[in-house]
Amino acid sequence: MRPHILFTTLSFSPHLKSTRPFTARALSSLRRDDDGTITISPADPSAHSASVILCHGLGDTADGWVDPARFLANKLPHTKFILPTAPTQPVTLNMGFAMPSWYDIVGLDSRSNELCEGLDESMGKILNLIHEQVTNDNIDYSRIVLAGFSQGGALALYTGMTCNKVGEEYHGLGLAGIVLMSGYLPRASSFRIAEGSQYTPILHCHGRDDPMVMVDAVQLSKNRVLEMGGTDYETKIYPGLEHSVSMEELEDVTEFLLKVIPQKNDEL
């Protein structure tokens, strides 16, 4: 019997709340790697000047975010979207069933979330993807955004704010931005911001009626980040939205991305 997954990612059908039809134009190319990573690249490789690494939620894979990522890619034709897939491992919260998970979740209370076994390994995977963009595609850290839904959003926030550049122990990543959708700050009690990353803009979107990650997580996460020196933490709350993603939310994410990783003047 399939386990009940509490933190799921929600793609366009049937869970994405929309009153408008979605159509994807052929403005990008898609590649699937053996490790489950999906990459959506600009149709014109020479236009690539920014990257977004988008992490799915517990129990999902990169495939669950292909349509939303294509929607965003159509709005940002200069941006590559990289969708990694979490390793399959037992999750205590779901009776020990193995499923794609960035780290173990013991319970829904804040103390349970402090353990996060496997979080460091997942951060290493995301850092490798960032390093590949910097070294292979010549994309500066300041042109890279980490994003994610639910557990993937938690991973994006923690990685983007606490980690340092490869080979530079005292220099934070200094990313262009971080996006959380229905996410939260994990390991809040030990959370510290890496030097230089306190200026990274953060967008935290959340459904007011989310029964899985309560909306209180938004203010708690924001308060802790600001307490530790963060300077730019924007929140968006959507009445009537549960543990899901809406078209209104994706439009807000689009607006944020266009602000932090706009097309360069020579690309217009």
Side-chain angles (χ1 to χ4, degrees):
M1 184 172 72
R2 184 175 181 178
H4 176 58
I5 299 172
L6 294 179
F7 290 82
T8 111
T9 189
L10 306 165
S11 59
F12 277 105
S13 177
H15 300 290
L16 190 136
K17 311 301 182 184
S18 174
T19 58
R20 291 170 290 168
F22 169 75
T23 55
R25 292 172 290 162
L27 297 181
S28 56
S29 62
L30 185 147
R31 188 188 77 231
R32 298 175 185 270
D33 294 337
D34 292 339
D35 66 355
T37 299
I38 295 175
T39 302
I40 300 172
S41 302
D44 177 6
S46 66
H48 177 205
S49 66
S51 296
V52 174
I53 299 171
L54 176 57
C55 303
H56 63 77
L58 177 65
D60 197 25
T61 66
D63 282 288
W65 277 86
V66 168
D67 282 347
R70 275 182 161 160
F71 172 84
L72 296 170
N74 286 345
K75 304 285 189 176
L76 293 100
H78 59 292
T79 304
K80 176 183 287 187
F81 286 80
I82 303 156
L83 285 58
T85 291
T88 298
Q89 53 191 328
V91 176
T92 302
L93 180 62
N94 281 326
M95 301 177 290
F97 283 100
M99 62 189 65
S101 176
W102 297 110
Y103 52 86
D104 189 30
I105 297 179
V106 177
L108 297 179
D109 60 286
S110 59
R111 288 176 297 175
S112 297
N113 285 331
E114 291 302 314
L115 300 175
C116 304
E117 184 176 350
L119 177 58
D120 295 325
E121 290 79 4
S122 290
M123 287 196 298
K125 179 172 184 173
I126 301 306
L127 287 173
N128 285 339
L129 291 175
I130 293 173
H131 188 57
E132 288 174 6
Q133 290 305 294
V134 173
T135 58
N136 298 343
D137 287 7
N138 199 31
I139 303 298
D140 192 78
Y141 288 93
S142 64
R143 296 283 294 172
I144 297 174
V145 172
L146 288 187
F149 177 82
S150 194
Q151 191 192 48
L155 172 64
L157 178 59
Y158 199 85
T159 302
M161 296 300 283
T162 67
C163 292
N164 294 304
K165 296 177 181 178
V166 174
E168 298 185 36
E169 184 177 357
Y170 301 107
H171 295 277
L173 297 176
L175 299 177
I178 298 170
V179 176
L180 295 83
M181 293 170 278
S182 304
Y184 55 93
L185 176 65
R187 291 183 180 169
S189 64
S190 60
F191 174 75
R192 299 291 185 276
I193 298 176
E195 181 60 36
S197 290
Q198 63 266 36
Y199 309 111
T200 301
I202 299 167
L203 174 64
H204 192 156
C205 302
H206 214 102
R208 187 179 298 281
D209 299 327
D210 191 332
M212 305 302 175
V213 181
M214 306 301 258
V215 70
D216 292 351
V218 178
Q219 196 61 46
L220 290 171
S221 300
K222 179 177 181 177
N223 288 347
R224 183 59 175 163
V225 170
L226 296 181
E227 178 187 355
M228 289 293 101
T231 61
D232 191 348
Y233 201 114
E234 180 183 5
T235 62
K236 296 277 189 178
I237 307 298
Y238 306 91
L241 185 65
E242 299 185 355
H243 199 60
S244 184
V245 176
S246 68
M247 284 301 304
E248 180 184 2
E249 182 176 352
L250 283 182
E251 294 285 5
D252 287 337
V253 171
T254 299
E255 182 179 351
F256 176 81
L257 293 177
L258 287 171
K259 181 174 65 175
V260 299
I261 48 171
Q263 282 187 292
K264 296 181 177 180
N265 291 333
D266 58 357
E267 298 171 338
L268 300 176

